[in-house]
């Protein structure tokens, strides 16, 4: 009897911890259907691992409340609950304009000395928890990320966060809609840059419109104004070394004040 020799790829795929490209894609699709990945707008999906917000991950959004709200919109519209802790400047009206389902949005503007307890309780029972790390000690931040990981929540920071899984930066263009000093602000082109750890280690960038004329996020309009040359409209691409260096210099410092909470 002639022995059947397995192809090298089949032998490799049988090893523990090794996956083929098709298996990785199937696992990502299965994760989305079983709720392990929360959906985001199609304009942002190409910038994130598994094309969405993976449960248990920590995402840092730098200097853009609009981008933060755009991240929440699709998940809350699909039925997920979100909570915002310690961000008094964020209001319900702005969230609604960006497509967030405000009936599933809880706001805790000033948690005070109870901040760690409030965050822990929300991470136990809410799908997405947003916070601002202005006065969060690094040790508390790391414990909150660990709790999100164990509870399957998504922790989103409006600012730098220690060892975030994904970091998003937003470079803004010029508003459209004004003509000779009159009119209404309609839309603004932006370039969103994504980087991070693990599956998000490869830097990506995409030209988008935030907001578009409807107030949501969308692929960039034709002939966008103020965008860097060579950035595909709405199509994520890997950054060059020069662009990575430029973004690193422009990004806010990854420091969190060593202040006691409460």
């Amino acid at each position: 009897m002639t022995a059947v020799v397995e192809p090298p790829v089949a032998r490799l795929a049988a090893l523990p911890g090794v996956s083929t490209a098709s298996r990785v894609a199937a696992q990502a699709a299965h994760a989305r259907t079983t709720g392990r990945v929360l959906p985001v707008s199609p304009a942002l999906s190409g910038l994130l691992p598994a094309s969405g917000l993976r449960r248990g991950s920590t995402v840092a959004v730098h200097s853009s409340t609009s981008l933060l709200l755009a991240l929440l919109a699709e998940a809350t519209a699909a039925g997920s609950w979100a909570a915002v802790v310690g961000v008094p400047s964020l209001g319900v009206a702005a969230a609604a304009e960006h497509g967030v389902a405000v009936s599933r949005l809880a706001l805790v503007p000033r948690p005070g000395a109870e901040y760690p307890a409030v965050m822990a309780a929300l991470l136990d029972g809410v799908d997405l928890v947003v916070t601002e790390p202005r006065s969060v000690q690094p040790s508390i931040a790391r414990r909150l990320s660990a709790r999100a990981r164990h509870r399957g929540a998504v922790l989103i920071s409006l600012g730098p966060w220690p060892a975030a899984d994904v970091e998003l930066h937003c470079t803004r263009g010029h508003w459209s809609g004004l003509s000779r000093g009159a009119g209404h602000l309609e839309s603004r082109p932006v370039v969103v840059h994504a980087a991070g750890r693990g599956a998000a280690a490869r830097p990506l960038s995409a030209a988008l419109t935030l907001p578009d004329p409807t107030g949501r996020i969308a692929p960039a309009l034709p002939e966008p104004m103020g965008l860097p040359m060579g950035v595909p409209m709405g199509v994520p691409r890997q950054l060059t070394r020069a662009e990575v260096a430029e973004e690193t210099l422009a990004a806010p410092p990854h420091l969190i004040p060593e202040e006691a909470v409460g």
Side-chain angles (χ1 to χ4, degrees), residues 177-200:
L178 296 179
S179 177
R180 296 183 179 180
H184 300 279
L185 297 176
E186 294 180 351
S187 63
R188 180 168 62 174
V190 300
V191 179
V192 177
H193 309 277
R197 305 184 303 157

Side-chain angles (χ1 to χ4, degrees), residues 32 35 37-40 53 55 71-83 99-106 125-128:
R32 287 192 292 272
V37 176
L38 302 180
V40 297
L53 296 169
R55 286 187 178 274
L71 277 178
L72 300 180
E74 198 79 13
T76 56
S80 294
W81 281 81
V100 177
V102 294
S103 60
R104 286 185 285 274
L105 177 67
V126 178
D127 301 299
L128 304 112

Side-chain angles (χ1 to χ4, degrees), residues 29-49:
H30 177 69
R32 287 192 292 272
T33 58
T34 55
R36 288 175 52 199
V37 176
L38 302 180
V40 297
S41 166
L44 292 170
S45 62
L47 294 170
L48 298 169

Side-chain angles (χ1 to χ4, degrees), residues 4-14:
V4 177
V5 179
E6 290 183 328
V9 173
R11 294 200 301 272
L12 284 173

